[in-house]
Amino acid sequence: MIRRPPRSTLFPYTTLFRSLNSTGPFKRLCHRTFHWAFNNSSDMSSAKEQLARIAGKGKISLEKDEDTGIAVMKLENEERRNAISAPMILDLFDILSDLENWKSGKGVIVWGGPRFFCSGADLDMVRQLGSKGAETFSATMQELLCRLFNLPLVSVAVVNGRALGGGCELSVACDYRLMARDSEVQSVHKRMGVVTGWSGGPRLVSLMGRTFALDMMVGSKRLGAEEALRVGFASALVTPGHQALTEARDWLKGQTEGAPEVIRAMKEIVAFSHESASMRDSLDLERKHFSALFGGEAQQEALDKKIKHNYGH
């Protein structure tokens, strides 16, 4: 059973950074920010080649439901509590490209199965990368989580067990977080002698504010599900285990009910309209999508059924 926070405790907990679209100015905006470590596409190719040379276990799988428009992206490295390995990073490149071009898609669930969400980076991979590979590794993960964050789909992290370090960073790269009642999120970077490197630090500040980010990062705060719901970090609590995925699917289907082209356009408007974008640019984008959808099939169907006046009845 899904538990939602009282209305009085809610505040804007899903502020978005920048938008990434497969074409147009939104991709250029994102790339200006996150491609600073890559001078051109060959640099990104070089990073992928470097990752391909690193041995590792685990994979990330993708299941798309064409009927509901909901996809499930699953981290599969249970032996290491779903730590992100080099092969999994390479999987993520392909999966994000697939989702960016999924025209009938409306939402994506990110989860690690019934026991654990994600424990961050695989330590064997970290050792093989060494200090010389740190900047490229960080830039690669920032790029990938930027693409996840700005998918034209509504994204939901479903947290079972624990989300540690980079797992915390992965969770805040999604639009929403649904947490199992016995789950917790913790930034353990300080204990590992590093800082956030996958965009998690700036995202935490944007999402929850400076003091909360300091508590999580400097204080290495263990954020339990009940508190996460109360402060707005989590959008709802779900039943632990496999049931969490079932409830998350139902929750996301409710959030994304409507025509795919409408949901995707709305997501792009919200993503692009972060404070880094000017109001003029945001209004231009809103007008572009409004004009494209106005008089379209979805609107005509709503007009014919008088949905606006019958909504909620």
Side-chain angles (χ1 to χ4, degrees):
M1 179 177 178
I2 295 177
R3 180 180 162 199
R4 300 173 185 267
R7 284 186 178 273
S8 60
T9 66
L10 289 175
F11 56 90
Y13 46 81
T14 50
T15 51
L16 301 179
F17 276 8
R18 299 165 175 84
S19 179
L20 173 65
N21 199 294
S22 57
T23 60
F26 323 115
K27 181 175 182 179
R28 291 195 296 272
L29 174 63
C30 185
H31 282 196
R32 270 204 309 274
T33 304
F34 286 89
H35 278 183
W36 57 271
F38 300 103
N39 295 321
N40 49 54
S41 60
S42 65
D43 287 343
M44 180 62 81
S45 297
S46 177
K48 293 171 74 172
E49 289 172 4
Q50 182 179 357
L51 288 166
R53 292 194 292 268
I54 297 176
K57 297 182 179 179
K59 66 177 183 177
I60 302 179
S61 62
L62 180 67
E63 176 188 330
K64 295 189 295 186
D65 187 329
E66 295 291 346
D67 293 331
T68 64
I70 303 297
V72 176
M73 186 168 74
K74 184 181 180 183
L75 311 179
E76 300 185 43
N77 193 6
E78 188 174 1
E79 182 182 318
R80 301 206 170 188
R81 297 185 174 184
N82 290 330
I84 303 293
S85 64
M88 293 168 76
I89 295 173
L90 294 174
D91 286 342
L92 192 53
F93 274 105
D94 295 334
I95 286 171
L96 290 172
S97 295
D98 190 343
L99 292 174
E100 285 164 351
N101 293 288
W102 188 28
K103 300 305 181 185
S104 58
K106 297 190 287 186
V108 57
I109 292 169
V110 181
W111 89 312
R115 297 179 58 192
F116 213 91
F117 181 68
C118 176
S119 60
D122 180 81
L123 296 184
D124 284 346
M125 176 185 65
V126 170
R127 294 186 187 97
Q128 292 182 67
L129 285 168
S131 59
K132 292 182 179 179
E135 186 170 353
T136 299
F137 176 46
S138 176
T140 301
M141 292 306 298
Q142 286 178 339
E143 163 70 13
L144 288 171
L145 294 194
C146 175
R147 289 174 62 187
L148 171 62
F149 197 72
N150 293 286
L151 282 172
L153 311 171
V154 178
S155 57
V156 179
V158 179
V159 180
N160 264 314
R162 303 181 75 188
L164 298 177
C168 174
E169 297 190 71
L170 176 59
S171 76
V172 296
C174 295
D175 298 322
Y176 297 98
R177 281 147 298 285
L178 303 187
M179 293 181 63
R181 290 174 176 79
D182 59 355
S183 66
E184 64 180 29
V185 175
Q186 185 178 19
S187 171
V188 295
H189 301 82
K190 179 179 71 172
R191 298 182 183 182
M192 300 302 296
V194 293
V195 299
T196 53
W198 298 1
S199 74
R203 292 193 197 283
L204 268 173
V205 175
S206 178
L207 181 70
M208 301 297 296
R210 173 175 174 159
T211 302
F212 183 92
L214 285 171
D215 285 345
M216 290 292 290
M217 295 168 65
V218 178
S220 198
K221 178 183 178 68
R222 295 174 66 168
L223 184 66
E226 290 286 346
E227 183 179 0
L229 182 70
R230 188 177 70 251
V231 301
F233 181 88
S235 303
L237 302 188
V238 292
T239 305
H242 290 285
Q243 184 64 21
L245 180 59
T246 301
E247 293 178 6
R249 277 197 176 105
D250 291 340
W251 186 90
L252 187 53
K253 280 193 286 186
Q255 287 289 98
T256 59
E257 184 179 359
E261 63 271 21
V262 175
I263 302 302
R264 292 163 64 87
M266 286 181 170
K267 168 64 189 286
E268 188 173 274
I269 290 168
V270 172
F272 188 69
S273 297
H274 186 263
E275 61 189 19
S276 63
S278 72
M279 178 59 77
R280 180 181 295 276
D281 287 342
S282 296
L283 292 174
D284 286 345
L285 176 64
E286 183 183 62
R287 187 169 60 253
K288 167 196 162 187
H289 282 305
F290 180 81
S291 300
L293 293 168
F294 195 85
E297 183 178 341
Q299 189 195 39
Q300 193 59 53
E301 181 180 350
L303 290 172
D304 292 343
K305 293 181 178 180
K306 299 182 179 180
I307 287 177
K308 181 177 180 178
H309 299 288
N310 295 327
Y311 197 78
H313 296 285

